Amino acid sequence: MTIRCKSCEKWYGAEDDDYGPCSIKHARGDRKFITHGEHICDEIYKDKGLDQDGDQGS
């Protein structure tokens, strides 16, 4: 299972519309750094899922 943006510590999304910036993409200077909360991570957590407590696994 992969992590979604809304579960990532590097994402700062708005609760009402579920869109927000990925701080990794923004720091890198990507033109499209706004992501949707349900977007599957394509950055540092792309291979990490959630552990049984619902937290990010390592």
Side-chain angles (χ1 to χ4, degrees), residues 3 5 8-12 20-35 41-46 56:
I3 192 166
C5 288
C8 181
E9 64 189 23
K10 304 292 184 183
W11 185 74
Y12 301 96
C22 171
S23 61
I24 298 168
K25 293 180 187 310
H26 186 264
R28 190 171 53 226
D30 290 4
R31 292 185 74 196
K32 295 184 178 184
F33 59 88
I34 302 295
T35 62
C41 183
D42 56 0
E43 296 293 344
I44 61 175
Y45 296 116
K46 65 183 171 188
Q56 294 175 6

Side-chain angles (χ1 to χ4, degrees), residues 4-7 11-21 34-39:
R4 303 203 183 264
C5 288
K6 67 181 181 178
S7 300
W11 185 74
Y12 301 96
E15 294 295 325
D16 54 347
D17 58 9
D18 215 19
Y19 282 94
I34 302 295
T35 62
H36 189 270
E38 290 295 326
H39 183 261

Side-chain angles (χ1 to χ4, degrees), residues 42-58:
D42 56 0
E43 296 293 344
I44 61 175
Y45 296 116
K46 65 183 171 188
D47 296 324
K48 297 183 186 324
L50 300 178
D51 64 20
Q52 293 187 1
D53 296 330
D55 299 326
Q56 294 175 6
S58 48

